[in-house]
Amino acid sequence: MEEPDTAPVPSRLARLLSALFYGTCSFLIVLVNKALLTTYGFPSPIVLGIGQMATTIMILYVFKLNKIIHFPDFDKKIPGKLFPLPLLYVGNHISGLSSTRKLSLPMFTVLRKFTIPFTLLLEAIILGKQYSLNIILSVLAIVLGAFIAAGSDLTFNLEGYVFVFLNDIFTAANGVYTKQKMDPKELGKYGVLFYNACFMLIPTLIISVSTGDFQQATEFRHWKNVLFIIQFLLSCLLGFLLMYSTALCSYYNSALTTAVVGAIKNVSVAYIGMLVGGDYIFSLLNFIGLNICMAGGLRYSFLTLSSQLKPKQPVDEESIPLDLKS
């Protein structure tokens, strides 16, 4: 089974659909996790992350057994090929879930904007990319708006701010390194997702048990509540879909475009959170900062998407049945 020497450029439709898929999954999981961690008061974001990892492993393994997808079997070289993705993966999960619980939806989405400059910085350092002045100015507008909004945040929570900035760093690093390691001749996107989840499931479970987090989850009072269970399972499924859609968007586009789509998604989440979140306290300065941040995000999105080059991409052989690859 040989790889082709040349590969077609992904179509505009593939780029667009992968971006829309990621944006939709990212939007939905924030709302579901917010309901679980805030409305129901579920005490264990780590256990929720474990559920999402376990769901990812089960779905991908079943698909591999049924030859719907393909990724390499385990061997001793795989940990070296993945590093440092497993650490970034679990850090991204835990910090994201923890910050969602401790911040209002609008402030969470504003502070998540810092993923964009972190992504720009890491792509410049790791991948050697350069950016135009217009894009840099748009990023500065995003950061300025975020600072204005956060500076007047009437629900300031230091722990929540620490978690969300860690989440920004982990998300940016995870996106850049994932893009770097999704070569179909190596692990491919399915292999990256599967082995990431496998390597971090048991260590995360150990952390949860040793800190008392797992016990709090087992003693949670809503396990007999059917609506809570449905939303918990939905979060686990959306966790898998978010990881898959992130990899897909980065595969067909770039880590930068994935961050841009996340910024566009945040516009909807922030304003919906003002109306239905129940934990947003209005102030004029906060509202102005949020709108500056959103305007900068949209301007940045327009510049990036309109000027993005179209490099050749490898053929996605992971979804091709094995009998057609020979």
Side-chain angles (χ1 to χ4, degrees):
M1 297 181 293
E2 296 181 355
E3 299 274 354
D5 294 330
T6 60
V9 175
S11 67
R12 285 181 178 269
L13 182 62
R15 291 174 179 267
L16 178 62
L17 290 180
S18 65
L20 289 175
F21 182 36
Y22 164 69
T24 301
C25 292
S26 182
F27 173 81
L28 292 176
I29 197 169
V30 169
L31 296 182
V32 173
N33 286 346
K34 187 66 177 176
L36 287 172
L37 298 171
T38 301
T39 305
Y40 285 101
F42 186 64
S44 177
I46 298 179
V47 169
L48 187 56
I50 290 171
Q52 294 172 357
M53 294 179 202
T55 301
T56 298
I57 293 170
M58 288 188 292
I59 291 176
L60 291 178
Y61 188 68
V62 170
F63 280 14
K64 177 179 170 63
L65 287 179
N66 288 277
K67 298 184 179 180
I68 298 173
I69 61 174
H70 171 72
F71 54 86
D73 295 328
F74 180 78
D75 63 58
K76 62 182 180 180
K77 295 181 180 179
I78 285 180
K81 292 178 180 178
L82 272 182
F83 188 82
L85 277 180
L87 300 179
L88 298 174
Y89 172 88
V90 73
N92 192 31
H93 253 73
I94 295 175
S95 61
L97 291 169
S98 298
S99 58
T100 300
R101 181 177 61 175
K102 295 181 179 297
L103 294 174
S104 67
L105 270 178
M107 287 312 304
F108 172 77
T109 54
V110 165
L111 294 175
R112 286 288 285 145
K113 294 286 188 182
F114 284 87
T115 298
I116 296 175
F118 288 146
T119 301
L120 288 174
L121 181 62
L122 288 175
E123 286 198 331
I125 294 172
I126 297 172
L127 304 179
K129 292 188 176 182
Q130 295 181 342
Y131 305 96
S132 69
L133 179 60
N134 283 332
I135 287 181
I136 293 174
L137 291 176
S138 298
V139 170
L140 291 177
I142 295 170
V143 175
L144 175 63
F147 268 118
I148 292 174
S152 61
D153 183 14
L154 300 181
T155 58
F156 179 81
N157 182 306
L158 178 60
E159 187 178 357
Y161 275 51
V162 170
F163 274 121
V164 79
F165 278 114
L166 286 174
N167 190 215
D168 292 339
I169 296 171
F170 282 126
T171 299
N174 188 65
V176 173
Y177 277 107
T178 297
K179 176 67 176 179
Q180 189 183 57
K181 294 177 181 291
M182 281 193 300
D183 186 351
K185 295 180 180 179
E186 297 291 340
L187 295 177
K189 59 180 177 288
Y190 300 117
V192 167
L193 291 175
F194 180 80
Y195 289 114
N196 258 337
C198 285
F199 289 149
M200 294 315 302
L201 180 62
I202 293 180
T204 306
L205 182 60
I206 292 173
I207 292 172
S208 179
V209 172
S210 62
T211 58
D213 186 82
F214 187 80
Q215 183 178 355
Q216 289 183 356
T218 57
E219 296 173 353
F220 186 57
R221 67 184 184 280
H222 284 301
W223 283 117
K224 294 182 180 180
N225 185 325
V226 176
L227 289 178
F228 168 80
I229 293 175
I230 290 174
Q231 290 189 58
F232 184 89
L233 295 176
L234 180 60
S235 176
C236 292
L237 178 61
L238 285 172
F240 159 71
L241 291 177
L242 178 61
M243 287 182 276
Y244 174 65
S245 63
T246 302
L248 199 67
C249 186
S250 295
Y251 180 82
Y252 284 121
N253 298 283
S254 68
L256 184 59
T257 301
T258 303
V260 167
V261 174
I264 297 173
K265 174 267 301 181
N266 286 344
V267 176
S268 302
V269 175
Y271 290 106
I272 289 176
M274 290 181 185
L275 301 176
V276 302
D279 55 0
Y280 177 74
I281 302 175
F282 178 83
S283 78
L284 181 60
L285 194 60
N286 180 277
F287 186 72
I288 291 173
L290 189 148
N291 282 280
I292 292 174
C293 188
M294 296 306 178
L298 290 175
R299 171 64 175 166
Y300 169 85
S301 304
F302 172 78
L303 290 170
T304 304
L305 295 176
S306 64
S307 64
Q308 187 180 48
L309 296 175
K310 297 181 178 180
K312 291 184 178 182
Q313 298 282 351
V315 174
D316 184 8
E317 290 208 343
E318 299 156 280
S319 298
I320 302 177
L322 294 177
D323 58 343
L324 297 179
K325 290 186 178 182
S326 55

